[in-house]
Amino acid sequence: MSGGGWMFVWLMVILKIPLIALLYIVYWSIKSSPNEEPEPVLDPRLDRPPHRPPPRHPRPPRRGGSHAAPQPPPPSRVRARARKLTPSHE
């Protein structure tokens, strides 16, 4: 067969196999008998009301504006001094 013939076989036959399998799976799942639903399990936790998160605490006051305390001063700056590197003697 020429290159065009193999391409025709590939596109028209081989690539249709997954499509046919998909259609068969869908048909099989539709025609299958429905499962009987199991008896509901009584969970004692379902009798309680749902869990609610604890209430939020009020926000702290903002520091800006005329009704608030003044901001604290910034911390003093400390500069680190570079150490002189000495060769280690072993």
Side-chain angles (χ1 to χ4, degrees):
M1 265 192 205
S2 65
W6 284 114
M7 184 176 59
F8 180 78
V9 170
W10 179 257
L11 291 175
M12 292 299 159
V13 177
I14 303 299
L15 288 180
K16 300 301 185 238
I17 293 173
L19 182 64
I20 293 169
L22 175 69
L23 292 174
Y24 175 74
I25 290 172
V26 170
Y27 173 77
W28 176 74
S29 65
I30 291 173
K31 293 296 178 181
S32 66
S33 63
N35 296 337
E36 294 181 17
E37 295 194 22
E39 294 182 22
V41 178
L42 298 178
D43 192 0
R45 293 178 290 174
L46 296 177
D47 295 336
R48 294 186 293 172
H51 174 71
R52 292 189 178 149
R56 291 180 153 187
H57 297 292
R59 296 174 109 186
R62 296 183 179 187
R63 294 190 174 264
S66 61
H67 300 289
Q71 290 187 348
S76 61
R77 305 288 181 202
V78 178
R79 292 189 181 246
R81 296 184 184 191
R83 291 189 307 168
K84 193 176 200 178
L85 297 176
T86 59
S88 62
H89 299 298
E90 291 183 20

